[in-house]
Amino acid sequence: MASSWWEIQILCDPMLEETIFWRLDDFGCRGMSSENSGYSRLICAYLPQQQAQLLDLSALGLLLRQDALCVGLAVPAIQWDLIDEEDWSSSWKAHWEPQEIGDRFLINPAWLPLPEQTDRLIIKLEPGVAFGTGDHATTQLCLEALEMRLGERASEQIIADVGCGSGILGIGALLLGAQRAYAVDTDPLAVQSALENRELNEVDPDRLIVAEGSVDRLMTMIDRPVDGIVCNILAEVIIDLIPQMTALTKPQTWGILSGILLEQAKPVADTLEENGWIVATLWRRQDWCCLNIRRS
């Protein structure tokens, strides 16, 4: 373990949040959080000192600047400081509180006690470096869409979660009564996070099957087409994956896609139509949207 950690703080336009999380994850950050700061978002991330020099941090700042300029948004403000090892793990958690989502869910940080009285479905979460704390609009939209999709016949539904991150969507689907969820992510740290959250929520490993990989890996895990697909990742990645998803489906399969900025919705919808999908509804929150889709 490193004796000191870099604390990276980024003040940005909310529309840049998803891209910045991706950049920080790719940079090797071990913990990330975000909160509102006026009309902006304040993102904090943590990295062992030995993994980055000042020039590396400067290069990260340049990439974030280029990302913003490419989409015509204000350049984020970034700063970094060294903090002691014993402070880093608690620093990013300080502002994360239990959060109600939709009509049925409560996301409860693993280090906080459970509420004494609630009729909500509780997801205990220790996200680590993985995306999916319930704080981001895209995750909220996906959980709310799952509430709508998984009704009286939920116990018959088998779900595939592509890009599972912390495992929050698969766990949520099972709490809603789904029979089984298959969850994959190309990031081994996300896979580890999903496995840890599976254990934290006392989910049967036979009901939430987690593996490293993508759609091709899912094909080796399932023995028949799935009833639903959830995918909360970057729009560019979703567009690339849509043609592959056909192999997972049957005529009744539905899907929930998010991680999509409003201006990216049309190219995603066009690609869906080209591959035999129909966008049934588009839900919006802030500058993000969630596409509820079905086979045409």
Side-chain angles (χ1 to χ4, degrees):
M1 291 288 289
S3 59
S4 296
W5 291 71
W6 290 111
E7 181 181 54
I8 304 169
Q9 295 187 333
I10 303 165
L11 189 67
C12 68
D13 187 299
M15 293 179 65
L16 287 171
E17 185 176 23
E18 188 98 351
T19 301
I20 290 174
F21 271 121
W22 177 81
R23 285 287 186 197
L24 293 171
D25 182 41
D26 190 58
F27 195 62
C29 291
R30 301 287 184 87
M32 293 175 276
S33 66
S34 69
E35 60 180 298
N36 290 323
S37 179
Y39 293 103
S40 301
R41 294 290 282 177
L42 177 62
I43 296 174
C44 294
Y46 299 88
L47 181 77
Q49 181 186 8
Q50 63 188 14
Q51 287 188 208
Q53 304 298 318
L54 287 173
L55 283 176
D56 300 318
L57 294 165
S58 297
L60 173 65
L62 180 60
L63 288 172
L64 296 177
R65 175 185 175 86
Q66 291 173 342
D67 289 338
L69 293 174
C70 283
V71 294
L73 295 174
V75 173
I78 179 172
Q79 66 179 38
W80 47 79
D81 294 290
L82 284 172
I83 61 174
D84 292 335
E85 179 177 276
E86 59 268 23
D87 295 333
W88 87 269
S89 61
S90 59
S91 295
W92 72 276
K93 298 176 179 179
H95 303 290
W96 195 25
E97 299 291 335
Q99 182 172 15
E100 294 184 351
I101 296 177
D103 294 325
R104 302 191 62 186
F105 287 112
L106 173 67
I107 310 303
N108 203 85
W111 54 91
L112 295 180
L114 295 176
E116 294 183 1
Q117 292 184 339
T118 181
D119 57 357
R120 287 179 172 262
L121 301 172
I122 298 175
I123 301 178
K124 293 177 282 187
L125 212 60
E126 175 71 74
V129 302
F131 181 76
T133 64
D135 183 57
H136 196 272
T138 60
T139 309
Q140 296 170 7
L141 287 167
C142 286
L143 287 171
E144 291 168 8
L146 280 171
E147 285 186 7
M148 178 193 73
R149 284 290 185 182
L150 295 174
E152 294 181 357
R153 299 181 61 186
S155 61
E156 302 174 12
Q157 300 280 297
I158 296 176
I159 313 300
D161 182 1
V162 184
C164 64
S166 67
I168 186 172
L169 299 182
I171 293 169
L174 294 176
L175 289 178
L176 288 167
Q179 180 185 143
R180 185 178 297 114
Y182 295 91
V184 294
D185 201 296
T186 57
D187 183 352
L189 293 176
V191 172
Q192 183 61 35
S193 177
L195 290 170
E196 291 172 355
N197 285 313
R198 181 180 71 183
E199 181 177 358
L200 183 64
N201 287 275
E202 301 178 352
V203 174
D204 187 336
D206 291 332
R207 293 188 66 209
L208 179 59
I209 299 93
V210 183
E212 183 177 344
S214 188
V215 175
D216 55 344
R217 182 71 177 92
L218 275 170
M219 289 302 302
T220 69
M221 298 164 63
I222 62 175
D223 55 9
R224 62 183 187 273
V226 298
D227 299 287
I229 298 172
V230 292
C231 187
N232 182 24
I233 49 182
L234 295 175
E236 295 86 349
V237 181
I238 291 175
I239 289 173
D240 290 339
L241 290 177
I242 286 170
Q244 303 173 43
M245 289 182 183
T246 303
L248 303 173
T249 66
K250 55 187 177 182
Q252 300 80 21
T253 297
W254 48 265
I256 298 169
L257 307 181
S258 197
I260 304 167
L261 289 167
L262 286 172
E263 63 264 27
Q264 298 171 320
K266 188 179 187 306
V268 175
D270 290 344
T271 305
L272 287 165
E273 184 177 350
E274 292 166 4
N275 288 272
W277 294 90
I278 291 174
V279 177
T281 59
L282 183 154
W283 293 358
R284 173 182 179 179
R285 181 156 303 153
Q286 299 166 10
D287 297 302
W288 300 94
C289 65
C290 174
L291 305 182
N292 289 275
I293 63 176
R294 59 180 174 83
R295 297 298 287 164
S296 60

